[in-house]
Amino acid sequence: MVGIIMGSDSDLPVMEQAEAVLKEFGVPYELDVMSAHRSPDRVREWVSTARDRGLKVIIAGAGMSAHLAGVVAAHTTLPVIGVPLASGALNGVDALYSTVNMPPGVPVATVAVDGARNAGILAVQILATSDASLAAKLEDFKKKMAAKVEERSKKHRRSTL
Ligand code: RP5
């Protein structure tokens, strides 16, 4: 239901954080490597058949002059989440600007540099708008996060009053 793609296998260690979220929530996914610059025909083919393969959300990660998410968004009406990656001399600022600054009409929901985990969570949240069981899992996820913060608070809170 979610397609995860990235511009290079060097992006894999970060993009696997999105995959981990989908595994955690039991969401079926595809993961593949393809490049808007180095293999543009393959990108077009992959995205133009995405809806027919059952995909509902696409997560696209790329570094440097990152055009993968934008090109994918140009070819589909599925929601596209872009993950700018911190590769190259500019450490992800280039990829952030390339991914986030889309022209009106072709949105890419861009997460933070290397924010693949949040991309995975956002994809689950999109799917959960029409899936009550996923929505319940997300409620549970949020409760666990709050409980972890509470634990840290108990461990570290102090006062000299
Ligand atoms: C981008 O160029 C990729 O997404 C990757 O982040 C970066 C470097 O790619 P490699 O040279 O490691 O294949 O297109």
Side-chain angles (χ1 to χ4, degrees):
M1 291 172 97
V2 177
I4 304 174
I5 53 173
M6 64 210 81
S8 170
D9 58 353
S10 62
D11 301 327
L12 199 51
V14 173
M15 294 306 290
E16 278 175 341
Q17 294 173 33
E19 179 185 31
V21 173
L22 301 181
K23 282 185 176 165
E24 205 175 309
F25 282 88
V27 172
Y29 63 90
E30 287 179 354
L31 182 149
D32 207 340
V33 176
M34 62 195 74
S35 165
H37 302 126
R38 293 165 172 161
S39 62
D41 293 342
R42 179 124 140 69
V43 173
R44 203 183 44 229
E45 169 62 21
W46 184 90
V47 70
S48 60
T49 54
R51 193 184 282 276
D52 290 343
R53 293 198 310 281
L55 298 189
K56 290 187 160 44
V57 186
I58 294 172
I59 299 173
M64 301 173 78
S65 201
H67 295 120
L68 186 60
V71 166
V72 164
H75 286 291
T76 185
T77 55
L78 294 173
V80 178
I81 304 170
V83 187
L85 297 170
S87 58
L90 300 184
N91 219 20
V93 174
D94 43 0
L96 173 63
Y97 286 173
S98 311
T99 305
V100 77
N101 207 19
M102 289 296 290
V106 192
V108 168
T110 305
V111 294
V113 173
D114 284 350
R117 180 161 171 80
N118 265 359
I121 295 167
L122 183 55
V124 174
Q125 288 178 327
I126 292 169
L127 295 175
T129 58
S130 59
D131 183 327
S133 129
L134 267 188
K137 284 185 189 172
L138 280 165
E139 285 296 332
D140 188 49
F141 169 78
K142 285 230 184 259
K143 278 184 195 145
K144 282 184 182 146
M145 264 197 310
K148 266 188 208 154
V149 176
E150 199 45 35
E151 260 173 46
R152 290 171 196 161
S153 164
K154 278 188 188 134
K155 189 170 163 198
H156 296 292
R157 84 167 69 117
R158 59 198 80 169
S159 168
T160 59
L161 291 180

